[in-house]
Amino acid sequence: MNTMVKAEAVHKSFGHVQVLKGIDLEVRTGEVFCIVGPSGSGKSTFLRCINHLEKINAGRLYVDGTLVGYREKGGKLYELRDREVAAQRRDIGMVFQRFNLFPHMTAVENVMEAPLQVKRRGKAEARARAVQLLERVGLGDKVSSYPAQLSGGQQQRVAIARALAMDPKLMLFDEPTSALDPELVGEVLDVMRDLAREGMTMIVVTHEMGFAREVGDSLVFMDEGVVVEAGNPREVLGNPRHERTKSFLSKVL
C-alpha cells in the first residue's frame, strides 16, 4: 500500500508554547486514521499542519509523496508561494468543527463555489455535481435550503459534500461531530462510514470512540504534543499499554 501522509519529526510552537514535539506517523492510502486525546494535546494543530493552514517549525510533512508547504534544496527548506500552497490544498478536503458554510448561499451554492472559483468548472456541470454530492450525503431534498434552515447535522453534511466537490485524495476531519447535538451525530458518522467503505483516505480527529473502534484502521493517542500510543484501534482502546492512555480512556469510554 502507498503512503498518503508521512510526518517526520514535526514540531510546532505558538510563541513559547510547544504544541507538537516531534510527531512521526504514516497514513496509508485508503486508510481511516483516527487521532484521539485530550483537549490541548495538539490533535487539531497537527491536522491543520497537513494542509499548511499552520506552518511547522521543524520536520517534514508529505502528502502523496510531495512535501507540504515547502520545497527542499540542498537540505534547506524554502516556503512555497501562496499560489503553490493553494494548489496543494486542492487535493485535501477539510471538514471543521464549525461548519463554516456561507450563510447567504443555499446548500447547492455552497457546494458549487470552490469548483466554480478554483477549478473553473462550468456552472451547469458544477451544479449537477453538487446536487449529486448532496444526494450522496442524504440531502437531495435540501438543495435550495440556506444554512440557517438546516440542523447542525445537515450543515455538517453539506460541509462534507463541499469538501468532496474538489475530488480530494485525502479528507481531514477535525472533530466533525463535537458541535452537534447527540442525536445528530449518527447522521454525520454514517456519511463518514460510507466514505470509508468507498476507500477514501481519511484522518479523523474525534471523541467518538465507537466510530474509531468500528471504522478506524489505525489509531494514535496524542497527549501534550506527542504520540503516546499507536496501533489497531480495537487493541489500543480495548487494551491500552500506557498509563496515560488508560487514564484518558477510563474517562471517555
Side-chain angles (χ1 to χ4, degrees):
M1 265 179 124
N2 297 337
T3 300
M4 179 60 77
V5 177
K6 186 169 189 175
E8 296 176 348
V10 170
H11 287 75
K12 172 66 185 173
S13 299
F14 293 106
H16 296 299
V17 181
Q18 264 195 306
V19 182
L20 300 175
K21 303 170 186 170
I23 299 292
D24 291 295
L25 54 79
E26 244 179 77
V27 180
R28 301 281 182 192
T29 303
E31 186 173 43
V32 178
F33 191 97
C34 296
I35 303 177
V36 303
S39 294
S41 58
K43 309 181 302 290
S44 294
T45 299
F46 177 67
L47 213 59
R48 292 170 66 84
C49 289
I50 293 172
N51 61 3
H52 207 60
L53 287 174
E54 298 290 354
K55 299 171 186 180
I56 64 176
N57 299 114
R60 306 275 190 281
L61 257 173
Y62 300 88
V63 172
D64 206 14
T66 302
L67 193 59
V68 173
Y70 301 90
R71 60 187 168 82
E72 193 164 351
K73 197 175 176 185
K76 279 190 164 175
L77 292 183
Y78 299 90
E79 192 164 1
L80 297 178
R81 296 189 189 93
D82 289 348
R83 195 177 69 237
E84 295 168 303
V85 172
Q88 286 187 338
R89 273 197 203 121
R90 282 177 207 173
D91 291 330
I92 304 171
M94 186 151 186
V95 178
F96 299 88
Q97 257 173 322
R98 298 276 163 200
F99 326 118
N100 296 357
L101 297 176
F102 296 115
H104 62 289
M105 291 183 180
T106 62
V108 75
E109 288 166 345
N110 265 284
V111 178
M112 287 167 65
E113 184 67 6
L116 284 174
Q117 301 299 334
V118 180
K119 290 205 163 180
R120 302 283 181 231
R121 294 252 167 90
K123 199 163 187 182
E125 182 195 355
R127 184 183 169 83
R129 173 90 171 116
V131 169
Q132 182 189 8
L133 286 168
L134 287 168
E135 285 170 355
R136 182 175 169 188
V137 299
L139 294 173
D141 58 337
K142 300 293 184 188
V143 169
S144 302
S145 300
Y146 287 90
Q149 298 168 314
L150 301 173
S151 71
Q154 289 169 334
Q155 289 186 59
Q156 192 61 295
R157 285 186 282 155
V158 173
I160 293 172
R162 180 180 60 182
L164 291 173
M166 291 296 284
D167 301 313
K169 53 187 165 190
L170 169 67
M171 285 282 282
L172 308 176
F173 291 89
D174 187 9
E175 299 189 18
T177 57
S178 65
L180 301 179
D181 293 331
E183 68 269 22
L184 302 177
V185 167
E187 62 191 50
V188 173
L189 294 181
D190 283 344
V191 170
M192 293 169 66
R193 280 188 193 93
D194 287 342
L195 286 177
R197 276 194 287 270
E198 290 164 17
M200 174 63 77
T201 310
M202 296 156 61
I203 303 180
V204 185
V205 170
T206 186
H207 293 297
E208 301 292 336
M209 300 301 159
F211 174 84
R213 186 188 285 117
E214 175 202 344
V215 184
D217 298 299
S218 299
L219 180 139
V220 298
F221 168 66
M222 279 179 68
D223 189 30
E224 296 185 349
V226 298
V227 172
V228 176
E229 193 160 343
N232 178 292
R234 287 153 291 287
E235 287 169 17
V236 176
L237 296 174
N239 190 21
R241 292 192 305 274
H242 290 261
E243 287 306 318
R244 185 67 193 90
T245 320
K246 287 176 188 170
S247 160
F248 172 74
L249 292 174
S250 71
K251 296 183 181 78
V252 297
L253 286 177

